Amino acid sequence: DYLNKPKEIFAEIGRVLRPGGVCMLSMSNRCFPTKAFRIWLQTSDLEHIFIAGSFFHYSGLFEPPTCEDISPNPGRSDPLFIVKAVKKSE
């Protein structure tokens, strides 16, 4: 939610991560509205997962991303999601 230059950040992650390496993003719905980018404030948890997945997809450097819900009590606690993807082989 605070990643304001995802294209540049994911290019750098792709540069330093070896082929087959895994990049993981963790996110909850905790948010400081003054720091988050606008689309994050206007979307749901599910849409946040798609936004994070799109960072991997549009970088062109990763296999299709996956998501795991590791919330301590899904549906009864703050959500915690892991979106991850493997760097493509060169």
Side-chain angles (χ1 to χ4, degrees):
D1 51 348
Y2 309 125
L3 190 60
N4 57 18
K5 293 186 178 181
K7 182 177 178 183
E8 292 86 350
I9 296 297
F10 276 78
E12 182 64 8
I13 292 169
R15 187 185 71 78
V16 301
L17 194 64
R18 71 178 62 157
V22 179
C23 177
M24 296 184 191
L25 305 177
S26 64
M27 64 182 128
S28 69
N29 69 351
R30 299 274 172 114
C31 177
F32 295 98
T34 58
K35 295 181 180 181
F37 55 94
R38 186 176 305 140
I39 193 170
W40 201 263
L41 300 174
Q42 299 170 344
T43 51
S44 68
D45 290 337
L46 180 60
E47 291 166 316
H48 295 162
I49 293 166
F50 284 107
I51 292 168
S54 74
F55 297 157
F56 289 111
H57 174 78
Y58 289 109
S59 76
L61 302 171
F62 295 89
E63 298 296 335
T66 61
C67 179
E68 185 176 353
D69 182 349
I70 62 167
S71 306
N73 294 299
R76 298 187 319 259
S77 66
D78 286 337
L80 182 58
F81 302 105
I82 303 295
V83 179
K84 63 185 177 180
V86 175
K87 184 178 176 188
K88 291 179 180 178
S89 299
E90 296 181 38

